[in-house]
Amino acid sequence: MMISTRGRYALRVLIDLADNNTGGYIPMKDVAARQNISLKYLERILPTLTKAKLIEGVHGKGGGYKLTRDPSDYTVGEVLRLTEGDLAPVSCLSNDAPPCDRMSECRTIRIWRDFYDMTNKYFDGIRLSDLTAADGSDQYVI
């Protein structure tokens, strides 16, 4: 499993919005500059975050984006499942996978299920607020 730039950048956008929250909307060009991410690329990620109601945006003068919830109410797992589609390590465990004919005799399914569960629990255990430590200590690198 490899997390794409889409998933990593979505997390960086949300962290930046949390770090720079003043109660108002934050221009995405400012986020793009701080995060060194192409504004064009961010414009492809923002609709996904907006549609899922993770952020809200306003166009025009004074516009931009802001979080819709407190940073402690977001999990990394939620963001990655939204941007990556699924965190399943094998196709037969994907949400939209057809039933596998070999499931009853598969000798490896248990390790894949355990890995999948472990991955989801790990990412669901990290909150956006955990990534916005004010002192910069013990931060995750994204």
Side-chain angles (χ1 to χ4, degrees):
M1 167 182 47
M2 184 176 294
I3 305 300
S4 70
T5 55
R6 183 177 178 84
R8 294 189 345 259
Y9 287 3
L11 284 169
R12 286 171 55 185
V13 166
L14 296 174
I15 292 166
D16 192 279
L17 292 175
D19 282 344
N20 295 286
N21 180 16
T22 60
Y25 292 92
I26 300 168
M28 200 45 53
K29 66 179 174 65
D30 294 351
V31 175
R34 281 191 295 267
Q35 295 300 318
N36 195 28
I37 301 172
S38 156
L39 185 57
K40 280 196 175 282
Y41 193 76
L42 285 185
E43 288 171 348
R44 292 178 23 210
I45 297 171
L46 296 174
T48 302
L49 299 175
T50 303
K51 186 176 180 182
K53 300 193 184 324
L54 298 183
I55 61 173
E56 63 181 30
V58 172
H59 296 286
K61 187 174 179 166
Y65 291 86
K66 68 180 182 178
L67 300 177
T68 58
R69 308 186 309 239
D70 187 79
S72 63
D73 293 333
Y74 295 80
T75 68
V76 170
E78 166 188 28
V79 176
L80 292 179
R81 282 187 293 275
L82 175 66
T83 56
E84 301 298 317
D86 198 342
L87 299 176
V90 291
S91 61
C92 61
L93 292 177
S94 294
N95 292 332
D96 57 354
C100 177
D101 296 339
R102 295 187 34 81
M103 188 74 74
S104 63
E105 60 193 68
C106 181
R107 293 181 181 201
T108 60
I109 191 63
R110 193 179 88 225
I111 63 172
W112 302 128
R113 270 197 192 121
D114 289 351
F115 180 73
Y116 187 37
D117 291 343
M118 193 171 47
T119 302
N120 281 298
K121 285 178 188 169
Y122 176 75
F123 286 130
D124 287 339
I126 303 170
R127 304 216 164 268
L128 186 60
S129 56
D130 297 330
L131 304 175
T132 59
D135 64 3
S137 64
D138 200 29
Q139 286 190 350
Y140 296 85
V141 177
I142 299 175

